[in-house]
Amino acid sequence: YVLVRQKCVGCHGMGSGPQFAVADVASAHNVAVQFVNFGTTANSVFVARMMDGHCGSDCSSNGTEMRTTLDKWKSLAGK
């Protein structure tokens, strides 16, 4: 959640596209979980979009950071 609030809030927390970076954590979670592949986090939409230039900055680094974040989420969720 912290990562998307840092990197994605400009669009995905303010009315453009899927709203997974909104201030309300429960609402953000309900949207974000649709874009995570807990079986193989590297195949998650979040990782793919950050790696394909969508993020508008250091995409490779952002994609790696997102995958690490999703792996932590997966571990904490016991998935």
Side-chain angles (χ1 to χ4, degrees):
Y1 177 72
V2 172
L3 182 60
V4 296
R5 289 287 293 168
Q6 291 172 347
K7 309 252 187 218
C8 311
V9 73
C11 295
H12 298 285
M14 304 253 197
S16 177
Q19 295 299 288
F20 53 79
V22 296
D24 178 65
V25 175
S27 294
H29 174 271
N30 290 338
V31 175
V33 75
Q34 300 171 53
F35 301 101
V36 179
N37 178 337
F38 285 109
T40 308
T41 56
N43 293 340
S44 295
V45 172
F46 280 124
V47 175
R49 294 299 281 163
M50 287 189 137
M51 296 290 278
D52 74 2
H54 177 79
C55 62
S57 62
D58 183 5
C59 297
S60 179
S61 176
N62 288 340
T64 300
E65 185 177 9
M66 178 57 77
R67 181 176 180 192
T68 299
T69 299
L70 295 179
D71 285 338
K72 288 178 187 174
W73 184 10
K74 175 182 175 177
S75 177
L76 290 170
K79 297 195 180 263

